[in-house]
Every structure is written in C-alpha cells, then in structure tokens.
Amino acid sequence: MAPSTAESSAPTPATATRRPKIGLVLSGGGARGFAHVGVLKALEAARVPVDVVVGTSMGAIVGGLYASGMSPQALESELMGIAWDTMFERRAPRQTLSQQRKEADFDLSPVLQIGFRDGEFRTPTGAVSTRSLEWLLRRYTLHTRQLSSFDALPTPFRAVATDMETGEPVVLANGDLAAALRASMSVPGVFAPLELNGQLLGDGGLVNNLPIDVARALGVDVVIAVNIGTPLASRATLGSVLGVSTQMINILTEQNVQRSIATLTRHDLLLAPPLGELTSRDFSEAAQIAELGAAYAATVTEALARFAIEPAAYAQWQLDRKPTAEPTPRALAFVRFDGVNDAQAAQLRRLVDTKAGDPIDHAVLAGDLLQLTASGDYEHVDYRLAPDPATLQEGLVFDLKATDWGPNYLKLGLDLRTDFQGDAGFNLRLHHSRHWLTPTGTLWNNQVEIGNVSGLRTELVHPLGGDHDRFAAFRASVRREKVNVYDSAGTAQGVYGRSTVTAAIAHGWTAGRGGSMGTARVGVYASRRIIEPELVNSASVELPQQTLRWSEAGVKLGWVADQLDHAHFPQHGYRMTAEATLARRYMLGETMRFNQLEWQGSRVFSWGPRTLNVHARLARAGGVPAGALPELSLGGFQQLSGYKVGQVTGNHLALGRVEYYQRLAMNPGIARALFVGGSLEVGNAWQQSSDISLRHLKYGYSLYVGADTGMGPVYFGWVHAKGRSPGIYLFLGKP
C-alpha cells in the first residue's frame, strides 16, 4: 500500500483510552532540520501525542531535545536565538586568546595551520568545530544526566549514528544524551567523528537517515515520518571536488531514505516540507527554514487530525512530559579536569572562574569553556556533572582531549605588494609553535622569514603561576632588511642594508580574562646593529656614505590591550599599544643616550555591515646620532597613502586615520568576508621637535576592495596624496 501523505483524509480524533502508539521519525538534513520545529508545533496544535521519537543527525538533535521535555515553542526560541553563522567556527573568539596568539595574527593567517606529531604532518579531522553546539546540547540536557536510559525521558527516544570502522548503524538508547545527539550529527569531512562507548561514531544519515525501522522496533503502531533531506544537486554544481564529494554523500543518504519510505503503510504519514534550494549548510538561514517548516505544517492539520486526542487527555499528556529532575546542583562539591596530567590541571585551574562551592552559572561556565578552548591545545573541550564516589555530591568535570595533530603547529604567511610601477615587495614567513614544552606550560615560538626582510626569531614564554597571569619571556632574533631613503619629492636617494641582532629577557603580567585589561612587560635587551650603504647618491651630505656599527643595551617597557574581534577588517573592539625604550648606544668609542616612546590605538564601531575604524599613532625617538638614518617613518597604504613606504621620515611622528568599510552581502567561500572601503590619513614626521607644526601635515587617501582570506588580508586599492600622482596598489598580507 502507498503511504499516507499530507493530503490524506482526516477521520475523527482517537480516544484517550484506545489510541495507536505513535512514533515520530525525524530525518537528518543539516540546517534544513530547522523545519522539524515547525512540524512539532503543528503536532502540538493538532493535539497529537507522540509516544516515541527517533531521529538522525539534525533530526536527532531536534527530536532529542523535544523528547527531553522541551516544548516546540522553547525549541524555536532557543534555536532561533543562536548565532548560527559563527556557531561552527574552529577558532575560539579572538578576544579570549592569549596575547602571544593575538600578536601572531598580524604576521600570519590563523586559518592555514597544520600540526606535526610523531614524525608526520597532520590536519584537523573536521573542517569546522562543533564545540559551541556541544555546549548548548549539554546545557539543554543537564536535567537528564541521572536517567538510566533514554526510555526514562519524558518521551522515549533513540538516536542513530554510524560506526565509522564497520559501516554499521548504531542505535543509541542510553548514556550521555548530549553526546548521543552530537554523535548522530557528525557529517564526514565537516564535523569530526565522536568516540563514544569505544566506537568512533559518524553521521547516522550515511546508513539510516529516516530510521523508520528503529521506531517499528520500539512497538509503535503508526509512524509520522518527516523527511527534510537535501535533494540531489544538478550537474552545474559538480565541477569541483567539494561538489562531487557532497553529491556522493547525498546519493548514499537518498538511497537509504527511499528504502525507508518504501516500508511505510497506509496507516502512516509522510511529511516532506518543501525547502527549495536551501541546503544542509545554510545554518545562517535558520529563521527562513523554520518559517518554511511552519508554513508547511499549517497545511497538514487535516492529515494530522486522525492522530489527535481530546483536549483534556492532551493536557494531561503534556503535563506528564514536564521534567522533574533538578537541572543543576545548588553547590558544586568539586571542580576536576579529566584528560590532562596534574601539572596541566593546575595551570588550567587558573583559567576558570567556576570554583568548588559555587552553583552552576551558565554565563560563567561558558567563559570558562572558551578559555580552555582558546589555548588551541584541545580538540575536545566539554563538561559534565558527576557524583563524588564518597559523598555522592555532584561536582563539575571538565573533559579535555588533546589535539592529535599537536603539540607542534606550523603556519605559513605571505606578504606581497606592488604599485604596478616597479615598487614591489615580497616576504615569506614560516612560524613554528611548540605548546607545553614543559609540564608547566612553556610556549616555544620560532619564525623564519625570507624576502625583502630576512630573519630568524625564537622566543620562550614560561608561565610563573600565582594568582595573576605572570610569565617570563626570552627572545633572540637576527634580522636584515633593505631601507630606501627618499628626498621630499619622492625620489630615491639611497638604499641601505640594516642588520640587527637582539637578545632580550622580560617579565610580564596579563590582567583580565583573555588580556582584556592588557598585557604588560618590563625587561632588558642588548643588540648589535649595522647599517651598510648599498646604493647612495654621493652628492647627498645628509646620508651616511659609510658603514655604521653600534651596540645598544637598555630597558624596554611595553603594554598592549587587544580586544579586536578580528586582526584584519575588525568589526568590533579596540587595540592599544605603548612602548618605551631607555637605552645607551656605544658607537665609535662614544656612549650616548637613546630613548624612544610610541603609542598606537584603534577603536572600531559597527552598525550592521558598516564599520568605522579610528586609528592614531604618536612616536618620538631621542638621542639619534647625527647622520644616522631616522628611526621612524610613514608612507605606504593607509600609512599616508600616496607616499612610498618609508618616504616620510623623522624622529617625531604623528598619524591619524579614519577608515570606513562595509561588509558585502555575499559569501566568497575562500574568505571570511568581502569589503569595500576607504580611508583618510593625516600626519607627518619631523626631525626636531621645534619643526613640529600643524601647517606641515600631509594627507593621504585610499579606496579599496578587500577580503579577509585564509592567506591573510587582500587589498586592491587606489591611493592618492596631495601633489602626487594617484596610484593603484595590490596587497596580500600586511599592508
């Protein structure tokens, strides 16, 4: 017999005493699963009592939360209130990262990163992160933690996953409900599979995306099956490896769905909300998908009427579904870290604000979880409530699993710039980071750079413990770069090679969670510098004609507070830095004092897709020997656009910039976003403080199209400065 459809006739409501046992089966379909919420609302409006819920993937998540006692209205409110466009970002919010990782963002892309472990290069097992989803599921299901099986839920429930080793379906009927829901939704190549009960579980849609047979095995009389699976794509989308791979998964899924549909009888009901071209990846369209599901559900009320019961009986059924367990303990008996050794646990304990004796505060707990994630050392960060074996009082357990592609991480950075008139630059950087070099959490960073700037840098950052985030840092570096010197008309007058060897040691403090109140350092350094003329206008009396060498030693004090949401094209936050150098220079048998002060600050404001970025920089260098190259310079894109890099030089500097950009309403795929914008810059550099005058300010302008890509920021822009010819620039990496 053919199964019933949404247009089936509607007999009179079933009685409360003699009614069929109803099983609700919800298919997988990724973001399309938001349509399930509309169907649940229709079931409630039609007074249809559901006796068993079975789901796969997104159907398991919606169905499992419903089975745990959440009403369709609560489900809709919670799911629609989530920022799904950022839900699956692999990286923790930038504001929560350590200052070392924030600074690295300006040199290298945080996206292109691979690991090195046990003699081989490794990459993450999933393209996106599910940690935020896991934490939400954990919070929504805390009240179910003490149940012996999913039969004890307000509505009995089953989730379907796939054993990734054998290819067999796995029906999850007990244990950790949040983990079961997450395991069922583990799309291959997108979400990493989850190890549960000794099995490596992937998305259940691979083998049983519409698990009608599982509902039958639970003894239901009739099945209401909801299929929201993604239809097969057209040939036009099959021109890439990603398109073909997605189609292969959809083919496997569709085949098992059709086999399941073939088992439906005339007593069952098949619902298939029409969702058009929306795909399983369209999580940002959650509200639209939910609306489509609700609109469809409004058309099937007659088909649902034959499953309805009397109002009084339905009210009692709803009352019986209300959870009775206490959601969380009033006070935590302990806080424990599983999956790490004692030394690591001691360091991690300093990162969390939840302590033994506290009640569960979900806002505080969310911050704790982000701090643990921000280190980048753990591919799995979760929590659970567990009883103390001795007292049976519940405490908080943080479950951590170290990344299997660390603790050595490699990132590649590339800078390219050209004005299409012969002024070009190229730099390639390779950064290595070794986490947990010692049991107490020492971080070792190394970087090699070749191109217009060549160099090698190594740094050790060792935490000192205590009540505050204190650390000691040692850095050594070798650097050689080319310095162009121009006259006021922009004509090159000399090319110099500048070499610097530096060693420094510092003591630092970080204040506020994620460095929100800043990170300060004080330390000593020593360096050796050489400036060699390579090509110099011999007629110039101001430029050094011979090699200059000197040694330098002194004290450096620094402070940085960085709360930008993104290093490039930020849309919210601020960044401020200040540095003071007090030193002595030893040159040609003479000793002289040298000091340098510099402050920079940016504040970012956004209104929807529109952003205003205000930036200022002030700097001063004193004690510079006569005839030496100036210490400070401006010029280049957004550093007085229209002037060449290093064209505006002096020992006193001021720059102000107002930049506006707008995020374009398109998804480029290879980039976080596309932007169109422009900037106005004003500033100058002066040799002597007596030369400083507002009448001598210079102006620069830029217009550009940009993107924040996996290789770093990309700009294609027009620049102009008064009295100079407009130019076209292309940048990849730091401008």
Side-chain angles (χ1 to χ4, degrees):
M1 286 291 196
S4 300
T5 65
E7 290 74 24
S8 301
S9 59
T12 58
T15 65
T17 56
R18 297 186 61 184
R19 66 175 181 84
K21 184 177 181 181
I22 300 172
L24 177 65
V25 179
L26 304 180
S27 81
R32 292 166 64 93
F34 293 120
H36 287 316
V37 178
V39 173
L40 289 174
K41 292 175 66 178
L43 292 176
E44 183 177 79
R47 303 194 311 276
V48 177
V50 175
D51 300 289
V52 170
V53 180
V54 180
T56 295
S57 196
M58 193 64 173
I61 289 177
V62 174
L65 295 179
Y66 176 70
S68 73
M70 289 185 73
S71 68
Q73 291 74 19
L75 262 172
E76 181 178 47
S77 175
E78 292 288 349
L79 295 178
M80 294 304 106
I82 295 170
W84 290 99
D85 54 340
T86 60
M87 171 65 69
F88 301 114
E89 289 186 355
R90 170 164 290 280
R91 202 186 199 206
R94 186 173 179 274
Q95 297 92 327
T96 65
L97 303 181
S98 68
Q99 193 58 48
Q100 288 80 18
R101 296 187 70 193
K102 290 177 183 175
E103 294 303 304
D105 284 353
F106 293 99
D107 288 332
L108 299 136
S109 165
V111 176
L112 294 180
Q113 179 172 270
I114 61 174
F116 186 79
R117 186 186 184 98
D118 299 332
E120 62 180 11
F121 292 102
R122 301 186 180 187
T123 58
T125 53
V128 299
S129 170
T130 58
R131 63 173 177 271
S132 296
L133 177 62
E134 291 168 5
W135 299 342
L136 280 174
L137 295 177
R138 178 72 58 197
R139 177 161 65 88
Y140 294 154
T141 60
L142 276 178
H143 64 282
T144 70
R145 63 190 181 278
Q146 296 175 351
L147 300 181
S148 58
S149 75
F150 299 162
D151 287 335
L153 291 169
T155 301
F157 171 72
R158 297 292 185 271
V160 177
T162 301
D163 188 319
M164 298 303 289
E165 293 181 290
T166 67
E168 295 295 322
V170 177
V171 178
L172 301 169
N174 51 54
D176 186 334
L177 179 59
L181 302 184
R182 161 63 179 86
S184 183
M185 187 174 173
S186 301
V187 182
V190 181
F191 300 153
L194 184 70
E195 186 174 344
L196 187 65
N197 302 326
Q199 295 175 297
L200 191 63
L201 301 182
D203 196 284
L206 294 173
V207 291
N208 199 353
N209 200 48
L210 191 64
I212 294 170
D213 58 328
V214 177
R216 300 268 194 226
L218 295 174
V220 301
D221 298 310
V222 294
V223 169
I224 300 175
V226 187
N227 180 31
I228 47 86
T230 304
L232 297 182
S234 65
R235 178 180 293 188
T237 66
L238 304 180
S240 66
V241 173
L242 178 61
V244 172
S245 300
T246 301
Q247 184 78 329
M248 290 172 61
I249 294 174
N250 288 343
I251 289 173
L252 293 173
T253 302
E254 184 62 20
Q255 287 176 346
N256 72 61
V257 165
Q258 292 304 318
R259 287 194 297 269
S260 294
I261 290 176
T263 68
L264 292 173
T265 72
R266 64 185 180 86
H267 302 292
D268 303 319
L269 178 64
L270 174 64
L271 303 178
L275 302 178
E277 299 298 319
L278 292 165
T279 72
S280 60
R281 299 184 300 274
D282 290 329
F283 283 93
S284 60
E285 306 298 329
Q288 180 186 354
I289 295 172
E291 289 175 3
L292 289 173
Y296 170 78
T299 69
V300 300
T301 53
E302 291 187 8
L304 294 173
R306 62 189 170 101
F307 303 111
I309 60 176
E310 298 298 335
Y314 189 75
Q316 183 60 49
W317 177 84
Q318 285 185 308
L319 185 62
D320 293 339
R321 268 180 38 84
K322 291 187 179 297
T324 57
E326 184 180 10
T328 59
R330 296 180 181 178
L332 295 170
F334 59 88
V335 174
R336 192 176 76 224
F337 296 83
D338 283 359
V340 297
N341 59 41
D342 292 342
Q344 288 182 331
Q347 292 295 323
L348 297 177
R349 200 176 303 277
R350 296 165 41 231
L351 298 178
V352 302
D353 289 338
T354 303
K355 309 297 182 186
D358 294 344
I360 286 286
D361 184 319
H362 289 291
V364 174
L365 182 57
D368 293 340
L369 292 166
L370 282 176
Q371 283 298 308
L372 295 173
T373 302
S375 68
D377 295 322
Y378 307 103
E379 68 179 39
H380 181 75
V381 177
D382 202 353
Y383 72 98
R384 57 189 166 88
L385 296 176
D388 183 284
T391 65
L392 299 182
Q393 292 181 311
E394 285 189 310
L396 177 65
V397 179
F398 289 104
D399 285 316
L400 307 172
K401 181 183 178 183
T403 60
D404 62 359
W405 56 293
N408 292 283
Y409 303 96
L410 299 173
K411 290 196 292 187
L412 186 67
L414 180 66
D415 290 342
L416 292 173
R417 64 174 175 84
T418 178
D419 64 355
F420 301 100
Q421 295 181 353
D423 184 11
F426 166 83
N427 283 299
L428 181 68
R429 290 184 299 276
L430 178 64
H431 181 87
H432 164 258
S433 180
R434 171 62 162 91
H435 294 197
W436 293 97
L437 184 64
T438 65
T440 55
T442 302
L443 174 67
W444 184 26
N445 290 319
N446 300 284
Q447 184 166 301
V448 178
E449 186 171 8
I450 58 175
N452 289 63
V453 177
S454 298
L456 174 66
R457 185 181 74 213
T458 187
E459 180 184 45
L460 289 168
V461 180
H462 181 72
L464 298 177
D467 295 332
H468 302 282
D469 282 335
R470 298 185 298 113
F471 60 89
F474 169 78
R475 174 181 288 199
S477 64
V478 179
R479 179 182 174 92
R480 181 174 175 82
E481 58 189 322
K482 290 187 180 296
V483 180
N484 294 323
V485 180
Y486 302 88
D487 61 16
S488 58
T491 303
Q493 297 295 300
V495 179
Y496 293 83
R498 181 162 61 193
S499 302
T500 307
V501 180
T502 303
I505 188 169
H507 184 206
W509 302 263
T510 296
R513 173 168 275 187
S516 58
M517 298 177 62
T519 298
R521 290 193 186 205
V522 57
V524 296
Y525 79 100
S527 67
R528 175 71 173 170
R529 301 182 72 177
I530 303 175
I531 296 180
E532 301 173 283
E534 296 183 358
L535 182 63
V536 182
N537 183 352
S538 58
S540 174
V541 297
E542 298 179 354
L543 297 178
Q545 303 287 330
Q546 297 180 344
T547 300
L548 298 178
R549 295 182 174 85
W550 72 85
S551 299
E552 186 175 307
V555 176
K556 279 186 180 289
L557 299 93
W559 172 78
V560 56
D562 186 340
Q563 288 292 290
L564 296 177
D565 58 347
H566 298 280
H568 309 290
F569 301 103
Q571 294 180 277
H572 300 282
Y574 62 88
R575 174 180 167 86
M576 286 183 282
T577 66
E579 186 173 83
T581 301
L582 307 173
R584 288 185 176 273
R585 286 181 168 175
Y586 307 93
M587 182 176 179
L588 300 176
E590 297 184 5
T591 301
M592 62 193 74
R593 292 181 179 177
F594 169 74
N595 60 77
Q596 184 168 318
L597 304 173
E598 183 164 356
W599 175 88
Q600 294 190 67
S602 298
R603 185 71 171 91
V604 183
F605 308 88
S606 286
W607 300 268
R610 297 172 291 277
T611 299
L612 185 67
N613 189 335
V614 182
H615 174 83
R617 179 187 175 196
L618 298 172
R620 173 192 180 277
V624 179
L629 296 180
E631 296 286 334
L632 306 170
S633 67
L634 290 171
F637 186 64
Q638 295 191 339
Q639 298 291 319
L640 282 185
S641 299
Y643 291 88
K644 296 182 181 297
V645 175
Q647 182 177 343
V648 181
T649 61
N651 296 319
H652 303 267
L653 178 150
L655 174 71
R657 180 177 70 234
V658 177
E659 181 183 7
Y660 170 86
Y661 44 89
Q662 182 165 336
R663 183 170 181 164
L664 301 180
M666 60 179 67
N667 186 356
I670 61 173
R672 172 176 67 90
L674 296 178
F675 299 87
V676 59
S679 66
L680 166 64
E681 305 118 50
V682 56
N684 204 352
W686 302 269
Q687 292 294 337
Q688 305 294 331
S689 58
S690 58
D691 299 333
I692 299 174
S693 171
L694 296 180
R695 293 177 300 173
H696 299 151
L697 291 177
K698 304 178 185 295
Y699 295 85
Y701 313 88
S702 76
L703 295 173
Y704 62 82
V705 175
D708 193 4
T709 75
M711 290 291 290
V714 176
Y715 297 86
F716 181 73
W718 171 89
V719 298
H720 178 61
K722 184 178 179 180
R724 305 187 182 277
S725 300
I728 302 294
Y729 274 81
L730 174 67
F731 291 92
L732 170 61
K734 292 191 302 181

